[in-house]
Amino acid sequence: MTDALPATVPGLRAVSLDRTEDRYVVTLDRPEARNAIDAAMIDDLHAVCGLIEADPAPVLLTGAGDHFAGGADIGELRERGRDQALAGINRSLFDRFAALPLPTVAAVSGYALGGGAELSYACDVRIASETAVFGNPEPGLGIVAAAGATYRLPTLIGQSMAKQVLLAGRTFDAVTALRCGLVMDVVPAGEHVAAAHRVIDRITASSPLALRLTKAIVDGTGRVEDIAQAVLFETADKRDRMTAFLERRNRR
């Protein structure tokens, strides 16, 4: 890790951040509200993403207390209007989290509902406690699951199962989530964070560059021209040709 960067982000209100030598641990920290995702948490997670983007490492994401995240803050959501919806406040954050360069692992216990479920879907891997419950009840509140569930969940579990969640209001307990491939493993209550750390231990044993490229390719963000350019940027031929160009220009 780079010593010049701060070990944390100052002023966090709804998220806590622990940075170790080879990973970040990000904890949604509103346990009194089942870690409901409010504006302060959105701001905090954007700030955390900025740090991780500047100095990439794998990320463990979890929730304080018994629950991962019980959804978006309904009091705030009720007051949002058309302009806030068009701004994609939650979706843009979750997309940013999904695009972090190195793997992310969600350690989920209790409720991961609504926006909380969508944030877990934005992670690369999910580990569930046996208490975990996933669901997207947004249509029952008169809105769409518009922060990633409509396009991530069909990819994760298939269109039919996704429609059962998004249209029929089905929730998945941990066993069902494991059976449909939404989670990698189910562990006893209270052991989900330790299990997620073990997954990250395996991740950090791999090449960071190989992981970064693999994630980009699997996610469809690994544009071939970027990868080709990355290879060429490291060649002696590129350096020699550009040096010769600069020398010719400087002689004029």
Side-chain angles (χ1 to χ4, degrees):
M1 307 294 285
T2 304
D3 294 336
L5 290 173
T8 187
V9 177
L12 295 178
R13 296 169 290 168
V15 168
S16 62
L17 175 66
D18 182 28
R19 178 179 174 184
T20 68
E21 183 180 354
D22 61 0
R23 71 197 64 184
Y24 295 91
V25 179
V26 180
T27 304
L28 310 178
D29 200 4
R30 298 183 69 213
E32 74 287 351
R34 294 177 176 171
N35 299 317
I37 300 170
D38 64 355
M41 187 177 287
I42 294 290
D43 290 344
D44 285 357
L45 287 171
H46 272 300
V48 167
C49 283
L51 176 65
I52 298 169
E53 289 160 355
D55 188 16
V59 178
L60 191 160
L61 177 67
T62 193
D66 295 331
H67 301 283
F68 180 76
D73 188 296
I74 301 301
E76 287 188 359
L77 207 58
R78 183 185 61 183
E79 302 308 315
R80 290 184 186 174
R82 178 188 60 192
D83 290 345
Q84 288 79 23
L86 291 173
I89 294 170
N90 288 17
R91 178 196 52 75
S92 60
L93 168 69
F94 298 170
D95 286 352
R96 185 178 185 183
F97 203 90
L100 290 174
L102 288 170
T104 55
V105 179
V108 179
S109 66
Y111 291 141
L113 300 176
E118 290 176 299
L119 180 53
S120 78
Y121 304 157
C123 293
D124 297 307
V125 176
R126 285 151 295 279
I127 299 292
S129 143
E130 60 192 7
T131 67
V133 178
F134 298 85
N136 288 96
E138 286 90 341
L141 296 169
I143 59 174
V144 173
T150 55
Y151 51 92
R152 287 199 177 92
L153 197 56
T155 300
L156 292 170
I157 64 174
Q159 188 177 69
S160 176
M161 294 289 277
K163 285 183 175 180
Q164 292 174 39
V165 175
L166 297 170
L167 302 180
R170 181 177 182 178
T171 58
F172 286 167
D173 61 17
V175 172
T176 305
L178 179 64
R179 187 166 62 241
C180 72
L182 182 61
V183 304
M184 177 179 176
D185 201 3
V186 175
V187 298
E191 296 183 15
H192 55 298
V193 173
H197 274 297
R198 290 193 293 272
V199 173
I200 293 182
D201 289 341
R202 295 199 295 274
I203 289 170
T204 58
S206 296
S207 158
L209 181 57
L211 289 169
R212 186 168 185 165
L213 290 173
T214 299
K215 177 172 176 173
I217 293 166
V218 171
D219 287 348
T221 59
R223 294 170 58 91
V224 65
E225 58 266 38
D226 292 340
I227 296 172
Q229 192 77 300
V231 172
L232 292 170
F233 269 20
E234 296 295 317
T235 63
D237 184 56
K238 167 255 189 183
R239 177 169 290 276
D240 291 344
R241 289 173 181 273
M242 291 189 176
T243 299
F245 172 85
L246 292 172
E247 289 174 349
R248 287 195 303 270
R249 188 184 67 181
N250 291 336
R251 287 197 297 266
R252 291 175 185 170

